[in-house]
């Protein structure tokens, strides 16, 4: 602690004109600010206000001096309109004006209410904003608001990095306001691309002004009450903060249409929070990014991690992760560390993913494709890799895993000491959950202005290519209906196997899995090509000409795809993107994000081309002809009916389970509480969608 002259209360924020940058941040009122009249000064003094210099307290009209009571003002303070009106928010009623507060060098908007703000310095407060019962609100001259930059005169070692995907910091990225999951993955994944890595640092640094002296901002219509410390925090419009302990070095994006909320006991340091987010009930987050429409609840801890859009984490610990959109982790004793999880995932209670104790260093990783779902009390070892929509049965898995089979159930058979895999399990045995996954994540996407497009369909280029690879692996056992012990050769001929151990690896019913995988391929191919076929017919193409046109669409189809933060992109396009960044063709984040949008605009055509190529693969033909298209449509119609039936039967298992019924007096009581399969809204929706889709397929086939 040091003691200085009282002039330090109002001067020296930055050398020279300390208000220069501040003035670029503020829009003056229509009539501008003016000095106080002698009568207004007299009234303010009678109301127990103090200003070191009344000439530096400026006001706008109308100005009701009676609304300003028991305050101390230092430095240049400018007030917007102050009227005798009341602001109301969630039954909290407060008069506009300022009372019982210490204010240093601030701009305060029209009809704002600041009451019992013990200390606020170097802030710009918006119109109709409520600040109530706050201990400390201030901005330093080196404020970065959560962005990974350095200000003029600062050393490089003060820069904030996010150490995602592993704990060794080997994939660290710089956070910035507006960062998308694709940005984070591009940065963290391609570490060997030195030109890319250097350019991303340069682009991020130059995206923000390095000059010192920017003020913190609190947007229009925001409410902050009963909170302790806000330091170097940028708050958007319509934000609601109540009972927070400490908020430091943050950008909290919020708008009146997509407000964000911060609740009781929360401590957030060094982070970016997206639009429409909520953080409640004792959560802790340090060095983090929270995507749009995401939330932390009930004591969750998020550290050195990127959490994608439309995700929720509560009651658990998440460290050093890169998580794509639509992630759910709700349980008190789950733990996720050093992983990239590629979205539409669900982490169950008791999951411990994973432990580094089997390694000499803390730089191991887990890579999980879309739809990853480890069951209750699952324990995994680093390093492990999983295809899309892998379901792990409850188990303590003793060694690292490499599972190339999508939609599989994996289990650890302790009694027989072997790893067991049931490929295509979701399709064959839990169609309700599989179909509901795609519907659920799309339904929960409440982003009004998505920063990045996301592929939510369960069957898409990434998952179907994994299916093709799985079919290749299973080819030697395609006729085996019972369990078989498979070769230790891994995916694409890699020498490591499916588990890092010497015990057997058994695949259940490869014949059934191959049949299911082929059903999934033809379902994807026909439903993806259906809109194109309809368009061709509407353009006057004879029905017999549709197969030839679809075959032409297959030319040049991409077969290697990258899940780029939830958006699927051909591998060649990702290579071109990296080259254009490294060469300076894409020189800022706006142009990179525009490239993502351009890629998404081409995605539907690329996806159709891919589907046509997989239709050839499914039919075992080099060309799509009329018999192949007709056969595919017939099978797709039958499969749609099968999907609807399996969705119903999957849900009906609950109705028929005698243990589920044991807690009810009668079946009628159970149906009144949980409903029946025949009345389930999702089951009914699938049945209606099936009829419509079958009608459309029949119309083109």
């Amino acid at each position: 602690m040091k003691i200085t002259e009282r002039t330090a209360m109002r001067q020296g924020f930055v050398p020279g004109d300390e208000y220069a940058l501040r003035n670029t941040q503020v829009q003056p009122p229509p009539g501008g600010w003016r000095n106080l009249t002698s009568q207004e000064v007299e009234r303010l003094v009678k109301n127990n206000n103090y200003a070191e210099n009344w000439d530096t307290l400026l006001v706008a009209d109308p100005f009701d001096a009676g609304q300003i009571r028991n305050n101390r003002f230092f430095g240049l303070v400018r007030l917007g309109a102050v009227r005798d009106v009341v602001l109301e928010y969630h039954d909290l009623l407060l008069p506009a004006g300022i009372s019982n507060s210490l204010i240093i060098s601030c701009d305060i908007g029209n009809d704002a209410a600041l009451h019992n703000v013990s200390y606020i310095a170097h802030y710009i407060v918006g119109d109709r904003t409520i600040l109530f019962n706050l201990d400390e609100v201030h901005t330093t001259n080196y404020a970065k608001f959560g962005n990974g930059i350095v200000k003029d005169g600062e050393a490089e070692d003060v820069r904030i990095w996010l150490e995602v995907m592993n704990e060794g910091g080997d994939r660290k990225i710089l956070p910035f306001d507006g960062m998308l999951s694709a940005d984070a993955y591009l940065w963290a994944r391609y570490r060997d691309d030195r030109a890319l890595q250097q350019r991303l640092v340069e682009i991020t640094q130059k995206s923000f002004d390095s000059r010192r002296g920017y003020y913190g901002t609190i947007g229009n219509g925001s409410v902050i009450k009963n909170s302790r410390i806000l330091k170097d925090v940028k708050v958007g419009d319509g934000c609601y903060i109540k009972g927070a302990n400490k908020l430091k070095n943050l950008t909290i994006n919020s708008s009146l249409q997509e407000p964000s909320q911060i609740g009781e006991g929360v401590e957030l340091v060094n982070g970016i929070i997206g639009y429409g987010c909520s953080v409640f009930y004792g959560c802790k987050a340090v060095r983090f990014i929270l995507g749009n429409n995401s939330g932390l609840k009930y004591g969750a801890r998020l550290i050195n991690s990127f959490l994608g859009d439309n995700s929720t984490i509560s009651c658990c610990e998440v460290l050093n992760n890169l998580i794509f959109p639509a992630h759910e982790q709700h349980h008190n004793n789950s733990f996720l560390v050093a992983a990239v999880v590629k979205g539409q995932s669900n982490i169950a209670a008791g999951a411990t993913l994973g432990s580094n104790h089997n390694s000499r260093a803390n730089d191991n990783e887990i890579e999980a494709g879309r739809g990853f779902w480890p069951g209750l009390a699952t324990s995994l070892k680093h390093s492990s890799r999983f295809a899309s929509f892998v379901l792990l049965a409850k188990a303590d898995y003793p060694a690292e895993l490499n599972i190339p089979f999508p939609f599989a159930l994996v289990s650890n058979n302790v009694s027989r000491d072997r790893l067991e895999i049931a490929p295509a399990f979701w399709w064959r045995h839990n169609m309700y959950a599989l179909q509901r996954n795609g519907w659920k994540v799309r339904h929960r996407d409440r982003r009004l202005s998505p920063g990045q497009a996301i592929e939510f369909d369960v069957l898409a280029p990434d998952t179907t290519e994994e299916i093709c690879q799985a079919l290749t692996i299973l080819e030697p056992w395609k006729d085996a209906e019972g369990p078989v012990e498979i070769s230790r050769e891994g995916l694409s001929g890699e020498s490591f196997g499916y588990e890092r151990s010497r015990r057997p690896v058994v695949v259940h019913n490869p014949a059934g899995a191959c049949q299911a995988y082929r059903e999934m391929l033809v379902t994807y191919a026909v439903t993806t090509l259906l809109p194109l076929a309809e368009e061709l017919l509407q353009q006057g193409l004879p029905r017999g000409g549709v197969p030839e046109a679809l075959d032409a669409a297959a030319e040049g189809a991409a077969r290697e795809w990258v899940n780029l933060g939830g958006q699927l992109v051909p591998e060649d396009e990702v290579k071109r993107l990296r080259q254009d960044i490294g060469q300076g063709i894409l020189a800022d984040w706006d142009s990179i994000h525009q490239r993502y949008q351009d890629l998404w605009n081409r995605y539907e055509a690329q996806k159709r081309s891919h589907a046509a190529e997989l239709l050839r693969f499914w039919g075992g033909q080099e060309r799509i002809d009329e018999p192949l298209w007709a056969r595919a449509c017939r099978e797709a119609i039958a499969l749609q009916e099968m999907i609807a039936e399996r969705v119903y039967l999957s849900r009906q298992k609950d109705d028929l389970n005698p243990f589920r019924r044991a807690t009810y007096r009668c079946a009628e009581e159970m149906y009144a509480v949980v409903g029946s399969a025949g009345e389930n809204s999702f089951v009914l929706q699938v049945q209606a969608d099936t009829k419509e889709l079958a009608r459309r397929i029949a119309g083109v086939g």
Side-chain angles (χ1 to χ4, degrees):
M1 179 183 294
K2 64 180 180 179
I3 299 175
T4 62
E5 296 293 332
R6 194 168 61 181
T7 54
M9 293 283 287
R10 58 180 174 82
Q11 293 179 348
F13 186 58
V14 289
D17 184 359
E18 64 177 289
Y19 304 133
L21 292 180
R22 167 188 177 180
N23 289 333
T24 68
Q25 297 179 263
V26 178
Q27 181 67 38
W33 293 284
R34 63 171 176 82
N35 290 107
L36 296 165
T37 66
S38 58
Q39 292 84 358
E40 289 169 337
V41 171
E42 183 179 356
R43 179 72 182 276
L44 291 172
V45 171
K46 287 182 178 180
N47 288 345
N48 199 30
N49 294 289
Y50 168 84
E52 191 169 45
N53 184 349
W54 290 108
D55 290 336
T56 59
L57 176 59
L58 305 182
V59 299
D61 290 318
F63 176 68
D64 184 347
Q67 302 299 109
I68 311 296
R69 298 175 177 273
N70 304 319
N71 304 295
R72 291 178 292 166
F73 298 98
F74 297 88
L76 176 62
V77 177
R78 300 183 291 209
L79 308 182
V82 179
R83 299 181 297 161
D84 188 7
V85 296
V86 173
L87 303 183
E88 179 178 359
Y89 188 85
H90 291 179
D91 297 325
L92 175 66
L93 299 173
L94 290 172
I98 308 173
S99 68
N100 306 314
S101 300
L102 188 156
I103 300 174
I104 302 172
S105 299
C106 291
D107 288 307
I108 298 171
N110 297 323
D111 295 324
L114 281 71
H115 301 289
N116 303 333
V117 180
S118 299
Y119 183 94
I120 180 169
H122 307 114
Y123 256 89
I124 299 169
V125 179
D127 299 338
R128 301 172 304 282
T129 292
I130 294 176
L131 305 183
F132 180 55
N133 290 347
L134 307 180
D135 288 349
E136 178 185 341
V137 183
H138 81 280
T139 304
T140 62
N141 68 6
Y142 52 82
K144 306 168 190 69
F145 308 111
N147 296 295
I149 62 172
V150 291
K151 289 289 189 174
D152 292 345
E154 287 190 312
E156 177 63 29
D157 60 7
V158 304
R159 192 188 296 271
I160 298 297
W161 296 83
L162 301 188
E163 297 177 357
V164 299
M165 291 177 62
N166 69 51
E167 293 180 278
D170 304 309
R171 296 188 185 271
K172 62 184 181 181
I173 62 177
L174 292 177
F176 63 88
D177 186 15
M179 190 176 211
L180 305 176
S181 49
D183 304 330
Y185 186 71
L186 190 70
W187 201 328
R189 169 58 70 190
Y190 299 100
R191 303 301 291 187
D192 55 316
D193 190 336
R194 295 186 180 277
L196 172 71
Q197 297 297 318
Q198 179 180 348
R199 288 293 299 149
L200 292 180
V201 174
E202 294 171 357
I203 288 172
T204 302
Q205 177 63 37
K206 76 175 186 179
S207 295
F208 301 90
D209 195 336
S210 64
R211 291 177 295 173
R212 296 175 180 243
Y214 280 97
Y215 277 32
T217 55
I218 300 173
N220 298 331
S222 290
V223 177
I224 307 178
K225 66 177 186 179
N226 303 322
S227 297
R228 296 189 57 207
I229 299 172
L230 283 82
K231 179 180 179 181
D232 294 346
V233 178
K234 178 181 177 182
V235 181
D237 295 342
C239 187
Y240 182 36
I241 301 174
K242 58 175 180 176
N245 283 344
K246 183 176 184 179
L247 307 178
K248 179 181 178 182
N249 192 29
L250 305 172
T251 290
I252 304 174
N253 288 295
S254 181
S255 69
L256 298 178
Q257 295 75 31
E258 294 179 282
S260 292
Q261 300 187 33
I262 310 294
E264 295 84 350
V266 167
E267 296 177 3
L268 308 175
V269 179
N270 300 335
I272 309 289
I273 298 172
Y275 289 93
C277 289
S278 58
V279 184
F280 291 141
Y281 312 126
C283 292
K284 318 291 183 187
V286 180
R287 299 192 181 219
F288 69 98
I289 291 183
L290 200 60
N292 295 339
N293 189 38
S294 292
L296 306 177
K297 299 187 294 185
Y298 308 123
R301 286 171 288 174
L302 181 70
I303 301 171
N304 262 317
S305 294
F306 184 109
L307 180 64
D309 296 357
N310 304 326
S311 299
T312 303
I313 289 179
S314 60
C315 312
C316 60
E317 188 170 7
V318 176
L319 313 175
N320 302 93
N321 296 290
L322 172 50
I323 302 173
F324 290 6
H327 177 81
E328 302 290 323
Q329 189 168 349
H330 294 166
H331 304 286
N332 187 49
N333 51 347
S334 60
F335 175 68
L336 178 65
V337 61
V340 55
V341 183
K342 296 184 177 179
Q344 297 176 235
S345 38
N346 195 310
I347 309 298
T352 304
L353 319 172
S355 168
N356 276 315
H357 297 306
N358 60 323
S359 172
R360 298 174 183 86
N362 62 344
D363 56 359
N364 296 277
E365 302 169 4
I366 290 174
E367 180 180 344
R370 283 200 294 147
F372 183 55
W373 195 328
L376 295 169
T378 296
S379 176
L380 289 179
K381 299 286 189 183
H382 285 110
S383 293
S384 293
R385 183 175 65 175
F386 302 92
S388 300
F389 290 91
V390 167
L391 174 63
L392 299 174
K394 173 181 179 180
D396 181 5
Y397 292 89
E400 299 93 323
L401 298 173
N402 176 43
I403 307 299
F405 304 106
F407 305 97
L409 171 65
V410 180
S411 60
N412 178 32
N413 190 326
V414 177
S415 62
R416 297 189 178 184
D417 191 25
R418 69 188 190 186
L419 182 73
E420 299 186 358
I421 306 172
F425 173 86
W426 290 63
W427 183 263
R428 299 175 63 205
H429 300 293
N430 198 356
M431 187 67 76
Y432 179 89
L434 182 62
Q435 295 297 315
R436 189 173 179 272
N437 183 284
W439 168 84
K440 175 183 66 176
V441 294
R442 183 176 285 103
H443 178 72
R444 292 176 178 173
D445 185 9
R446 299 185 178 91
R447 302 171 300 164
L448 298 182
S449 52
Q452 183 180 9
I454 303 169
E455 173 62 271
F456 291 131
D457 288 343
V458 169
L459 295 177
D462 60 337
T463 54
T464 51
E465 282 299 331
E466 289 178 339
I467 287 173
C468 293
Q469 294 168 348
L471 286 170
T472 301
I473 295 172
L474 295 174
E475 176 66 21
W477 306 282
K478 64 181 180 180
D479 297 322
E481 297 182 355
V484 298
E485 185 174 334
I486 63 175
S487 164
R488 298 185 59 80
E489 286 296 310
L491 185 62
S492 302
E494 293 174 345
S495 60
F496 59 95
Y498 307 109
E499 183 182 62
R500 188 171 181 256
S501 73
R502 297 184 179 277
R503 64 179 187 162
V505 176
V506 172
V507 170
H508 288 276
N509 193 359
C514 289
Q515 178 183 345
Y517 280 147
R518 290 182 56 78
E519 291 172 351
M520 298 169 84
L521 287 181
V522 72
T523 298
Y524 163 73
V526 173
T527 55
T528 302
L529 292 172
L530 175 59
L532 176 57
E534 291 174 331
E535 292 170 10
L536 294 170
L537 292 175
Q538 290 171 1
Q539 293 167 5
L541 183 71
R543 190 163 176 169
V546 169
E548 184 178 353
L550 297 180
D551 187 72
E555 297 303 320
R559 293 300 304 272
E560 296 181 359
W561 292 76
V562 175
N563 184 345
L564 194 62
Q567 177 179 346
L568 303 184
V569 180
E571 174 68 40
D572 288 344
E573 296 282 10
V574 175
K575 290 180 181 177
R576 188 174 298 110
L577 170 66
R578 290 164 48 198
Q579 290 171 356
D580 289 348
I581 295 172
Q583 294 172 5
I585 297 172
L586 300 176
D588 53 46
W589 284 113
D590 287 342
S591 60
I592 295 172
H593 293 172
Q594 183 58 53
R595 174 68 64 85
Y596 298 159
Q597 184 59 51
D598 294 342
L599 291 169
W600 181 255
N601 293 340
R602 302 201 299 271
Y603 173 64
E604 187 61 34
Q606 293 172 331
K607 185 177 179 181
R608 290 174 178 180
S609 178
H610 179 261
E613 177 60 29
L614 287 200
L615 183 58
R616 292 174 175 177
F617 175 87
W618 174 81
Q621 300 181 190
E622 294 184 358
R623 315 294 298 180
I624 299 173
D625 55 20
E626 193 167 358
L628 174 59
W629 177 241
R631 178 164 63 94
C633 287
R634 287 194 303 271
E635 184 156 342
I637 291 173
L639 287 172
Q640 290 303 313
E641 295 170 351
M642 180 271 290
I643 288 170
E645 179 66 14
R646 286 187 180 176
V647 167
Y648 170 76
L649 293 176
S650 295
R651 177 63 181 80
Q652 190 190 37
K653 291 177 183 178
D654 291 337
D655 295 352
L656 302 179
N657 183 346
F659 288 90
R660 183 180 178 88
R661 300 178 67 168
T663 61
Y664 299 96
R665 295 170 22 257
C666 57
E668 288 74 16
E669 181 192 358
M670 183 180 74
Y671 295 145
V673 174
V674 299
S676 66
E679 298 173 343
N680 181 271
S681 60
F682 182 71
V683 170
L684 295 175
Q685 177 184 321
V686 170
Q687 292 173 346
D689 292 346
T690 294
K691 292 179 181 178
E692 175 60 18
L693 194 56
R695 181 194 65 77
R696 291 174 59 197
I697 295 173
V700 300

